[in-house]
Amino acid sequence: MIWFMQIAGEMSAYLGRDEPNWLKIMGLSMVTCGLYGLYWQITALGPLVQEMQQRAGCPTRRTTGSCT
């Protein structure tokens, strides 16, 4: 849980917005027995990671396959 809180904080700082909100994700995950956490990983995590990679200058996975 501490690792997730740190990573979510770093992602929020890098993106410059309140997303991902670790408190919301952890709270709703506890209430829904982890289902919200899985839903969030499937629907929201991918686009956030892709946006961070684009900001860092990494080419998309579809074009080259890796960021080196």
Side-chain angles (χ1 to χ4, degrees), residues 16-41:
R17 57 181 188 225
D18 294 345
E19 195 174 357
N21 183 352
W22 69 267
L23 187 58
K24 177 180 120 180
I25 296 167
M26 294 296 285
L28 287 173
S29 293
M30 284 189 230
V31 171
T32 62
C33 299
L35 291 177
Y36 182 77
L38 292 173
Y39 171 78
W40 180 80
Q41 288 177 14

Side-chain angles (χ1 to χ4, degrees), residues 5-62:
M5 291 172 8
Q6 290 176 336
I7 296 300
E10 290 176 10
M11 289 173 66
S12 294
Y14 186 74
L15 293 171
R17 57 181 188 225
D18 294 345
E19 195 174 357
N21 183 352
W22 69 267
L23 187 58
K24 177 180 120 180
I25 296 167
M26 294 296 285
L28 287 173
S29 293
M30 284 189 230
V31 171
T32 62
C33 299
L35 291 177
Y36 182 77
L38 292 173
Y39 171 78
W40 180 80
Q41 288 177 14
I42 293 168
T43 60
L45 185 59
L48 288 175
V49 170
Q50 187 174 20
E51 181 181 345
M52 289 188 304
Q53 287 175 338
Q54 288 174 347
R55 285 187 182 195
C58 295
T60 60
R61 182 174 218 178
R62 293 183 192 120

